[in-house]
Amino acid sequence: MRPLIDENNLSYSKEFLIYHTRGKILVRAVLVIGAFTGSIYFYMQNQLFVFSALLSLFIFQIPLLIKSVKRIDEIQFRINSKGIQYRDNLLIPWNNIENERAFSEHNGYKDDTTDYFIYYIIDPGQIMKFNLNELSTDVSELSIVLNVQRNRFKKENSIT
């Protein structure tokens, strides 16, 4: 488990890295194994329609699982006192970013929410919005990181 970030301690961490969550990959692996096992069972029971459906699910999920496993260590975001970098794109400096925040949005169902990370790039006038549900952070942790790194940028550049 990662340590919590103290927003009052600006010397804590130099940068924050966000990856794809390992939980979604584990769920996909269990789905693939379950589809394969189920297809064998229904083949032995001579239920060819169910066998075909599960075998198709197994076959179509294999490339997605392989792609997910290959991308497991791929950095999605790098957030530091210089700015925000998305994947292999150029780092966007804090003086070109505004309204950065993480928030939850209710989807109309009782407990169904989607977490988002959003920021506005001033120069090209571009809004960047990302779903956090498949990433290795949550709204509260990311909000603290954004606050710490923005404050560190201001402190390093003597901006009040």
Side-chain angles (χ1 to χ4, degrees), residues 6 18 25-26 61 88-90 95 103 132 154 159:
D6 180 11
I18 301 174
I25 296 170
L26 181 63
Q61 286 296 316
D88 291 330
N89 296 345
L90 294 174
N95 58 3
F103 64 95
L132 286 177
K154 289 177 181 178
I159 300 172

Side-chain angles (χ1 to χ4, degrees), residues 6 18 33 37 51-52 69 78 81 86 92 110 115 134 153:
D6 180 11
I18 301 174
I33 292 169
T37 306
F51 162 74
S52 300
V69 169
R78 179 182 312 270
S81 64
Y86 175 62
I92 308 297
K110 187 174 182 180
D115 297 334
E134 295 185 7
F153 168 76

